[in-house]
Amino acid sequence: MKSYLAGAIQMTSVPDLQKNLNQAEELIDLAVRQGAELVGLPENFSFMGEEKDKLAQGDLIYQETEKFLIKMAQRFQVTILGGGFPIPVNGTGKVHNTALLIDANGQELSRYQKVHLFDVNVPDGNTYQESSTVMAGQELPPVYGSETLGNIGLSICYDVRFPELYRHLAQQGTDVIFVPAAFTAFTGKDHWQVLLQARAIENTCYVIAPAQTGTNYNRRQTHGHAMIIDPWGTILADAGDKPGVAIAEIKPTRLEQVRRQMPSLQHRVF
């Protein structure tokens, strides 16, 4: 593993596939021009709209999104995480909310199907029932071992509230954890940052958290603040509340330092 720059992209995705892909391309370009070699896109980056519209366009969203990720990775010669998009599940009328990690050659390195689905009545009056259209994944997220970028673990949004998933990643030797999200504005203001910092601290890993921000459709508002956090819990970069990119350096020497100073993973009892 070497030192390198990572980018957590922040978008305001809407119910328009092509518009979202155009916005994503501009922000990937921005991240690469700032030196990023590992770039993460947020959950729902290619389409964010009503569930019925997502299902109706499911095959198109899947096909165009996968082609887009491969094209961007090859064009910019970077490793890209597509942080969550629908892939139809044959014969079910539902989709998997899937994250894909693609290398600079356009090859798939790993994929993860979101296991924790957001079925919540938020106190701001909004109700979310992700399971109405999404089939939960059945496998713990993978860890991809890169000689240059470190061991990369995947998760998606609501997963961040389930520390056992991240302890699994830590036990697999993860150095960098992705948490691409579309966190609600109401919950995000109180929980987003502290949950990300907790996952970084307790697992002594870097956390890269791409995010949605602003008004995506109707009353759906997302929190923003795409972040990169170091293993001590220090916020290295925060994209604020507008579309953009959080850029920070991932350092193996910092990982080693923190794990030496606070060897908590070695002291696990359970």
Side-chain angles (χ1 to χ4, degrees), residues 1 27 55 80 93 105 107 130 141 165 193 209-210 249-251:
M1 182 182 177
L27 291 169
L55 285 184
I80 295 179
N105 295 316
Q107 299 299 308
E130 190 175 16
L165 182 146
Q193 179 179 315
E249 189 174 9
I250 308 298
K251 299 180 182 179

Side-chain angles (χ1 to χ4, degrees), residues 168-241:
H168 159 77
L169 292 175
Q171 289 171 332
Q172 307 307 307
T174 301
D175 302 311
V176 177
I177 297 172
F178 269 114
V179 190
F183 235 70
T184 70
F186 186 89
T187 58
K189 63 182 172 55
D190 295 323
H191 296 165
W192 172 244
Q193 179 179 315
V194 69
L195 284 169
L196 293 174
Q197 287 178 297
R199 301 297 83 88
I201 292 166
E202 69 197 6
N203 296 299
T204 52
C205 294
Y206 280 94
V207 167
I208 302 174
Q212 293 283 350
T213 192
T215 301
N216 303 95
Y217 63 94
N218 297 340
R219 293 175 59 202
R220 181 69 158 104
Q221 290 187 305
T222 42
H223 175 63
H225 295 279
M227 290 183 183
I228 300 178
I229 299 172
D230 86 352
W232 192 254
T234 303
I235 297 169
L236 302 178
D238 181 338
D241 59 4

Side-chain angles (χ1 to χ4, degrees), residues 1-21:
M1 182 182 177
K2 64 171 188 176
S3 291
Y4 62 92
L5 293 179
I9 286 178
Q10 182 156 288
M11 298 177 61
T12 303
S13 297
V14 295
D16 185 325
L17 174 63
Q18 197 53 55
K19 185 174 182 179
N20 295 330
L21 295 182

Side-chain angles (χ1 to χ4, degrees), residues 38 80-83 98-102 109-113 139-144 151-157 159 165-166 168-169 174 176-180:
L38 177 64
I80 295 179
L81 178 83
T98 306
L100 284 186
L101 187 67
I102 306 289
L109 301 177
S110 63
R111 74 169 54 199
Y112 165 61
Q113 297 165 340
E139 297 182 4
L140 286 164
V143 175
Y144 175 76
N151 297 326
I152 301 171
L154 306 184
S155 67
I156 301 176
C157 199
D159 285 333
L165 182 146
Y166 297 89
H168 159 77
L169 292 175
T174 301
V176 177
I177 297 172
F178 269 114
V179 190

